Amino acid sequence: MSTMSVQTIRNVFSVETGYRLSDDQIVNHFPNHYELTRKDLMVKNIKRYRKELEKEGSPLAEKDENGKYLYLDFVPVTYMLPADYNLFVEEFRKSPSSTWIMKPCGKAQGKGIFLINKLSQIKKWSRDSKTSSFVTQSTKEAYVISLYINNPLLIGGRKFDLRLYVLVSTYRPLRCYMYKLGFCRFCTVKYTPSTSELDNMFVHLTNVAIQKHGEDYNHIHGGKWTVSNLRLYLESTRGKEVTSKLFDEIHWIIVQSLKAVAPVMNNDKHCFECYGYDIIIDDKLKPWLIEVNASPSLTSSTANDRILKYNLINDTLNIAVPNGEIPDCKWNKSPPKEVLGNYEILYDEELAQGDGADRELRSRQGQSLGPKGGRSRDSGRTVLTTWK
Amino acid sequence: MLLTHSHTLLASPPCDAFLRLLNGRPVGEQKELLNKWNEMGTDEPDLSLFRPVYAPKDFLEVLINLRNPNYENGDSLSFRTHLGLIQVPLKVKDIPELKEFFVELGLTTGQLGIDDSTQVPPELFENEHVRIGQKVLAEQDSAAAQQYIRQGSPTALRAELWALILNISSQPEDILYYEQLKTNVIQHDLLVDSLIYKDVKLTASNDDYYFVFEDYLYQVLLCFSRDTSVLGHFAYNSASPPKSYIRGKLGLEEYAVFYPPNGVIPFHGFSMYVAPLCFLYHEPSKLYQIFREMYVRFFFRLHSISSHPSGIVSLCLLFETLLQTYLPQLFYHLREIGAQPLRISFKWMVRAFSGYLATDQLLLLWDRILGYNSLEILAVLAAAVFAFRAVNLMEVTSLAAAEAVLADLSTLKVMPLLQIFLFATVT
C-alpha cells in the first residue's frame, strides 16, 4: 500500500515509464483523477453527463420552464477562459450587476482567486485581445469563471462552506463512502456582498489556508463547526424537513458528480481515492458543488482537527485495505460493515442495481422521504440514500 | 437566615478615570457603533486593564463561609454536617423524593435523548412524541407544553415550545422595546460594557460550538445591562441590586441609581447563559426576550444567595448530600485527597452546564429545567456524572487528577446518566 502524491501518481501511471503495479500494490489516487478534481474538467464532465442524459430522454435530465435542470443544476454557471470568453461575455451582459469568481484551474488553497464585477477586469483573457499573452493555452494558465454565489447561507452573519470527505473504492461499479465527520469552515469576517469588499478575501474565501492569516483567527476552534452542529442549528431554526432535504440533496450531488466522471475514469483496480468535496449552501438552502479536491489537506489546525484527520486516514485505510493484511487488488472491494468506522455507504451501484433501477427516480421525485425513508430492508437509520 | 451580599466582591477600579461608570457617547462614536452593530466582535476596546469582577470559584468561597448563627444543631455532631463544604442546613430532596418529582424521567417512560437514538425505530416513541408536540403548539397551550417537554423536545419544535412555556410572543411592542434598548447602547457607554466584552472574548469566542454567535452575544448582553425592567425580579430575589450615588451625594437615597441599570453585574462566564440560545433563535429581539425571561426565571438563582430550593446554595447542598448518601466511599476518598467534589462541580452548576456539555445534550437538559420549573436537575446531573466516573475517580490521588478525570464532559449523554442515577441504581 502506498500513499502517493499527485505527481508520483503521474509517474507511476505514465506510459513512458512503463511501470506496472503488482497485485499486492494499492495506491491512493486514480490515474486520471483530474477529470473530477480539476475545476474545468469537472464542469466539462458534468455538462457532458447532463447532455447525455437529456439525449437518452432520462427523467433525471428534466428541465423547468426556464430551461434549468430540475435535478442536475448543482454547479454554478461556469465558463473556461480564454476558450469560452465570448460565451461568457454574452452571459455576463444578461445580468451586468452580477459578480463572478475567477479561479486558476490547477491551483489550490485559494491561490490566485479573485472576484470581478466588470468586464474590464478580465480583459487579459479575451481571445481577440491584441494585448493577450495567452497565445498558447497551456493548462497552467487556464482559468474558470463561475457565477459567484453572493447569497450564501449565513450563520452568525458569517459565510461558511462545507468540507466533506468521500472515499471511492471503485468507479465501475461505483462504490463510494461518505465520512460522517465533515465540517464547516467559517470566515473570520462578517459577510457583505458590498462591492467595496470584493477584494477582501477574508470575507469571501473560506479556505483555512487563507483565513488563518486573518487578524481574528482563533487557534482553539479554528473557525470550524462539525456537520452535526450545522444540522442541529438548521433543524432548530428551519425545521426538520428542509434540513433533511438539504442533506439529501448534498448526497445526491456528490453521487451525480461521481457518476458523471465514472465513464471516463481509468478504473484501475489498484486504486482508491479520498476526495475533499467543497460545498456551499445558499440562503434558499440549496447546496452548490464548488469543487472536488484530490489531495485534501491532511494537516491540522487545531487539536480536534488532528483527531479528525487521524481517524479519517485510519478509517480510509481500513476500507481500502481491510484486515490490515497484504492487499490483493483482485479482491471484490466489498469491506464488511464493521470496518467502516466513521464512514457510511453513500452509494453502491451493485446493490442499487439489484433493487431495480426505476426505484431511483421514483424516490428522487417522491415527497420528503428523508434519510430514514429507505430503511425497510436493513441496518437501522444510517442509510444515506433514499434513492438507489 | 444570614444572607451576605455577593457584591462585596466588586473589584475596586484601578484608577480614577474608571470612576465614570456611565458616559454619554459623542455623536461620531454613536454613528460608528450603529454601523458596526452587527460585528462588534471585530473591534473591541482595549481590555487589557479589565478583569472579570468575580469568577465562580470566588463565589464558592463566599458560599462555603455561610453560617446561620440562629440555627441550633443540638449537641450531637452529625456525621453529615462536617463532610461537605456547605454548612447551611437547608432542606433538600433525597432520591425517593427526586424519583417522585422527576417521575417522567423514569425507565418506563419514553425520553428524547434516549429513545430517539439510532438503534430505536421511531415508531416506538419518537414519531408519536413529535405528533403530540405539534398538537400542543397548535393549541398554544403553555401548561401542556411544560408537561410535554419533561420528556424532551424534538429539535424542530424546541424554539417554539420554549417560547410558549416562557410566554414569549414577539409583539410589535416587544420589538420596539428591544430597539429602544439598542438605541440606549448606541447613545451611552457603560463601564460594565467592557466586562461584557471581556467575558465574551474569554469564553464564548473560544468555544467550539458558540464562537459563531459572538456578535449576537454582544448585542443581547449590552442591551440586557441597560434593561431596567429586569429590576423587577429583585422582588423575589433575595439579593439587591448594587447602587451608585450621584457625585457628592454619597449615602443620600434620593440620589441613588442602580448600576448597572438592570442591577446585574456580569461575572466570568455570564455570556454562556445566552450562547446556547443562539442555536434556537436567530432574530435578535426574540433571542433577547427569551434570554431575559430565562434569566429572571432561572439563571439569577445560580449566582445569588437564597434559601430557595432552586437557589445555588440548595443545589450545592443537594449535590453534596446525594454524593455523601449514595456514593459515600467516593465522597470520602475525594475528601481525603483534598478534592472536595463541590469544588469541581460548582462551575458546572453555576453555568447550568453551558460550555461543558455538547449543545444537543445541553438543550435536552434545559428542556427539563423548563419542564419541571426547577434547577434541581443540575445537582442531580452533577452527582450522576461523578457516579459515572466513580471508578476512575477512586484511583486518583490529587485534586488536579480528579479535575482531569472530569475535565471533558463533551461526550456525555445526559438522559441515560440521569435515568441510571435516579432509577437504576440500587440505593
Side-chain angles (χ1 to χ4, degrees):
Chain A
M1 228 287 311
S2 117
T3 49
M4 295 189 178
S5 72
V6 172
Q7 180 58 49
T8 318
I9 282 288
R10 256 187 238 136
N11 291 339
V12 167
F13 287 101
S14 151
V15 177
E16 286 140 21
T17 57
Y19 191 84
R20 300 275 321 268
L21 288 171
S22 62
D23 281 357
D24 60 354
Q25 289 183 302
I26 300 217
V27 299
N28 61 319
H29 285 293
F30 285 91
N32 58 341
H33 62 79
Y34 43 79
E35 295 283 351
L36 180 63
T37 58
R38 261 187 61 121
K39 302 171 180 60
D40 53 348
L41 294 180
M42 178 191 86
V43 173
K44 265 205 189 110
N45 280 311
I46 290 176
K47 285 184 178 174
R48 188 209 77 242
Y49 172 68
R50 293 198 295 219
K51 286 236 155 38
E52 275 169 7
L53 286 176
E54 218 178 324
K55 250 194 235 144
E56 286 170 26
S58 162
L60 288 186
E62 205 181 313
K63 288 182 176 172
D64 67 11
E65 58 276 6
N66 296 323
K68 278 219 162 317
Y69 287 100
L70 277 174
Y71 308 114
L72 297 174
D73 177 35
F74 54 85
V75 176
V77 175
T78 301
Y79 297 98
M80 323 304 166
L81 291 184
D84 296 338
Y85 183 81
N86 293 327
L87 283 173
F88 162 69
V89 170
E90 211 183 301
E91 186 64 37
F92 181 85
R93 292 202 169 119
K94 280 189 207 160
S95 38
S97 58
S98 53
T99 308
W100 294 75
I101 182 165
M102 282 281 282
K103 301 191 252 198
C105 288
K107 297 218 181 107
Q109 301 196 324
K111 295 198 189 99
I113 297 187
F114 59 98
L115 300 178
I116 63 133
N117 59 353
K118 291 201 261 289
L119 274 180
S120 54
Q121 292 163 315
I122 52 161
K123 262 223 171 56
K124 285 207 294 191
W125 280 270
S126 155
R127 277 189 99 172
D128 302 326
S129 163
K130 293 192 178 62
T131 59
S132 167
S133 53
F134 281 86
V135 180
T136 55
Q137 284 182 36
S138 69
T139 49
K140 254 194 265 178
E141 285 131 316
Y143 271 73
V144 290
I145 185 162
S146 306
L147 187 59
Y148 184 62
I149 298 161
N150 66 353
N151 62 331
L153 176 67
L154 301 179
I155 298 186
R158 301 196 218 174
K159 177 175 169 180
F160 69 98
D161 77 346
L162 272 177
R163 162 54 62 91
L164 299 170
Y165 296 103
V166 178
L167 168 62
V168 178
S169 52
T170 144
Y171 273 98
R172 294 186 301 271
L174 179 60
R175 196 169 290 129
C176 52
Y177 306 85
M178 166 88 101
Y179 202 62
K180 283 189 252 188
L181 307 179
F183 51 86
C184 306
R185 297 174 293 206
F186 282 87
C187 293
T188 52
V189 178
K190 266 285 189 316
Y191 180 76
T192 166
S194 148
T195 47
S196 59
E197 289 291 338
L198 281 183
D199 294 329
N200 185 348
M201 287 304 117
F202 293 115
V203 170
H204 295 284
L205 296 188
T206 54
N207 312 65
V208 175
I210 297 211
Q211 292 294 330
K212 70 181 183 196
H213 298 295
E215 257 177 24
D216 292 309
Y217 183 74
N218 181 304
H219 291 270
I220 296 178
H221 51 71
K224 289 181 179 169
W225 245 19
T226 60
V227 165
S228 43
N229 275 355
L230 176 66
R231 199 165 190 141
L232 175 65
Y233 175 81
L234 288 177
E235 278 185 11
S236 302
T237 52
R238 304 274 193 141
K240 193 143 192 167
E241 289 78 33
V242 302
T243 307
S244 299
K245 179 163 169 285
L246 167 66
F247 280 91
D248 256 7
E249 272 183 41
I250 291 175
H251 301 150
W252 170 260
I253 67 185
I254 294 175
V255 172
Q256 292 306 308
S257 68
L258 292 171
K259 282 193 164 185
V261 300
V264 304
M265 268 302 183
N266 179 346
N267 193 33
D268 193 305
K269 56 188 191 292
H270 300 93
C271 303
F272 68 94
E273 197 153 20
C274 177
Y275 298 106
Y277 267 75
D278 289 345
I279 301 216
I280 288 201
I281 306 172
D282 71 18
D283 59 11
K284 315 248 178 327
L285 286 198
K286 181 181 161 70
W288 295 93
L289 175 57
I290 300 301
E291 66 169 341
V292 184
N293 295 285
S295 307
S297 160
L298 293 175
T299 59
S300 2
S301 48
T302 68
N304 281 341
D305 210 32
R306 195 174 69 244
I307 296 172
L308 181 144
K309 304 261 167 87
Y310 174 90
N311 284 324
L312 174 66
I313 297 174
N314 191 38
D315 292 337
T316 304
L317 295 181
N318 280 342
I319 292 181
V321 189
N323 299 327
E325 291 164 0
I326 305 278
D328 177 2
C329 69
K330 293 210 186 69
W331 76 294
N332 70 350
K333 302 214 176 189
S334 258
K337 214 178 291 177
E338 303 80 61
V339 312
L340 289 184
N342 287 310
Y343 273 108
E344 282 175 319
I345 298 180
L346 177 57
Y347 184 73
D348 187 330
E349 193 166 2
E350 269 180 346
L351 273 182
Q353 274 163 0
D355 275 357
D358 62 344
R359 250 198 88 190
E360 170 171 15
L361 189 65
R362 252 189 293 124
S363 309
R364 186 72 187 87
Q365 286 175 327
Q367 294 305 306
S368 54
L369 263 183
K372 298 177 190 167
R375 253 171 71 266
S376 43
R377 304 182 305 128
D378 56 39
S379 58
R381 298 174 174 212
T382 55
V383 172
L384 274 176
T385 51
T386 60
W387 31 267
K388 293 278 171 121
Chain B
M1 258 324 288
L2 178 71
L3 301 170
T4 58
H5 216 294
S6 59
H7 300 296
T8 52
L9 288 171
L10 256 176
S12 48
C15 68
D16 278 319
F18 288 35
L19 282 173
R20 311 260 318 261
L21 297 175
L22 170 83
N23 273 340
R25 268 192 239 274
V27 173
E29 208 182 300
Q30 286 187 34
K31 267 214 190 97
E32 205 190 307
L33 184 56
L34 192 54
N35 280 339
K36 61 172 185 123
W37 178 255
N38 288 321
E39 47 185 338
M40 282 185 271
T42 51
D43 190 30
E44 84 277 9
D46 177 18
L47 298 172
S48 49
L49 292 176
F50 287 89
R51 57 183 175 85
V53 173
Y54 65 96
K57 60 176 166 45
D58 306 309
F59 188 46
L60 180 58
E61 292 303 320
V62 172
L63 298 189
I64 291 172
N65 290 306
L66 285 177
R67 296 288 182 278
N68 182 356
N70 291 337
Y71 182 69
E72 177 51 61
N73 202 1
D75 289 314
S76 57
L77 281 173
S78 155
F79 174 80
R80 271 169 212 207
T81 318
H82 295 271
L83 234 47
L85 291 175
I86 301 295
Q87 297 293 318
V88 176
L90 296 172
K91 170 105 180 57
V92 293
K93 296 184 172 77
D94 57 17
I95 285 201
E97 286 165 321
L98 289 168
K99 274 161 103 152
E100 213 182 292
F101 185 68
F102 290 116
V103 65
E104 291 86 352
L105 301 185
L107 297 167
T108 51
T109 315
Q111 297 294 328
L112 287 184
I114 298 176
D115 301 296
D116 54 333
S117 75
T118 49
Q119 285 79 37
V120 181
E123 298 84 50
L124 280 185
F125 166 71
E126 197 182 349
N127 287 348
E128 181 61 15
H129 191 63
V130 172
R131 203 189 59 78
I132 298 177
Q134 287 163 336
K135 192 154 181 290
V136 166
L137 281 174
E139 294 180 11
Q140 287 290 292
D141 187 339
S142 183
Q146 202 174 329
Q147 179 63 36
Y148 168 80
I149 211 173
R150 293 179 178 189
Q151 291 169 270
S153 167
T155 33
L157 304 181
R158 185 176 276 124
E160 283 182 69
L161 279 170
W162 284 22
L164 180 56
I165 294 171
L166 296 169
N167 289 319
I168 304 287
S169 57
S170 274
Q171 302 299 328
E173 53 263 27
D174 301 313
I175 301 175
L176 196 60
Y177 188 77
Y178 174 74
E179 290 298 321
Q180 277 176 340
L181 288 174
K182 181 175 159 185
T183 309
N184 208 327
V185 175
I186 305 286
Q187 288 177 345
H188 296 97
D189 159 44
L190 291 180
L191 179 65
V192 86
D193 291 349
S194 302
L195 292 178
I196 290 170
Y197 276 119
K198 187 95 185 179
D199 186 47
V200 174
K201 283 293 180 195
L202 286 177
T203 55
S205 299
N206 291 329
D207 187 291
D208 286 340
Y209 295 93
Y210 306 125
F211 72 88
V212 174
F213 304 114
E214 187 183 330
D215 297 319
Y216 289 171
L217 298 180
Y218 296 121
Q219 292 174 23
V220 168
L221 289 168
L222 292 179
C223 287
F224 181 67
S225 59
R226 289 156 174 78
D227 191 344
T228 50
S229 74
V230 174
L231 291 172
H233 89 284
F234 286 104
Y236 48 88
N237 180 356
S238 46
S240 349
K243 282 193 246 194
S244 177
Y245 295 89
I246 307 289
R247 197 180 280 273
K249 308 281 184 191
L250 191 67
L252 298 175
E253 283 311 310
E254 1 7 321
Y255 294 95
V257 292
F258 295 121
Y259 187 85
N262 70 342
V264 181
I265 297 186
F267 60 89
H268 178 56
F270 193 84
S271 56
M272 296 303 278
Y273 289 143
V274 189
L277 303 174
C278 298
F279 265 83
L280 301 175
Y281 306 99
H282 54 270
E283 204 268 291
S285 72
K286 186 119 192 222
L287 173 63
Y288 179 75
Q289 281 185 274
I290 296 277
F291 165 66
R292 182 179 60 184
E293 189 60 29
M294 290 286 283
Y295 181 81
V296 302
R297 263 199 215 197
F298 302 112
F299 296 145
F300 79 92
R301 299 198 190 280
L302 295 172
H303 66 97
S304 27
I305 300 173
S306 79
S307 54
H308 194 276
S310 273
I312 188 68
V313 185
S314 301
L315 296 184
C316 290
L317 192 57
L318 175 58
F319 165 75
E320 289 191 313
T321 311
L322 283 174
L323 224 53
Q324 244 180 277
T325 314
Y326 300 104
L327 292 154
Q329 234 188 338
L330 176 64
F331 194 96
Y332 191 75
H333 168 73
L334 289 173
R335 190 173 165 271
E336 283 295 288
I337 63 171
Q340 276 276 10
L342 186 58
R343 288 203 185 277
I344 302 175
S345 66
F346 186 71
K347 55 188 183 289
W348 303 338
M349 293 190 286
V350 164
R351 284 218 213 151
F353 281 88
S354 173
Y356 297 105
L357 294 173
T359 307
D360 64 320
Q361 295 301 309
L362 184 80
L363 294 173
L364 287 168
L365 178 67
W366 286 16
D367 281 343
R368 274 73 179 192
I369 292 180
L370 284 162
Y372 291 98
N373 200 30
S374 154
L375 292 162
E376 285 158 300
I377 199 150
L378 299 177
V380 180
L381 179 60
V385 171
F386 272 74
F388 184 60
R389 298 218 170 140
V391 172
N392 291 7
L393 287 169
M394 284 304 288
E395 290 175 20
V396 301
T397 51
S398 70
L399 172 60
E403 299 256 25
V405 168
L406 295 166
D408 183 6
L409 307 185
S410 60
T411 51
L412 292 184
K413 299 280 178 247
V414 157
M415 299 318 299
L417 277 186
L418 285 167
Q419 246 190 10
I420 292 175
F421 185 76
L422 283 176
F423 296 97
T425 312
V426 176
T427 54

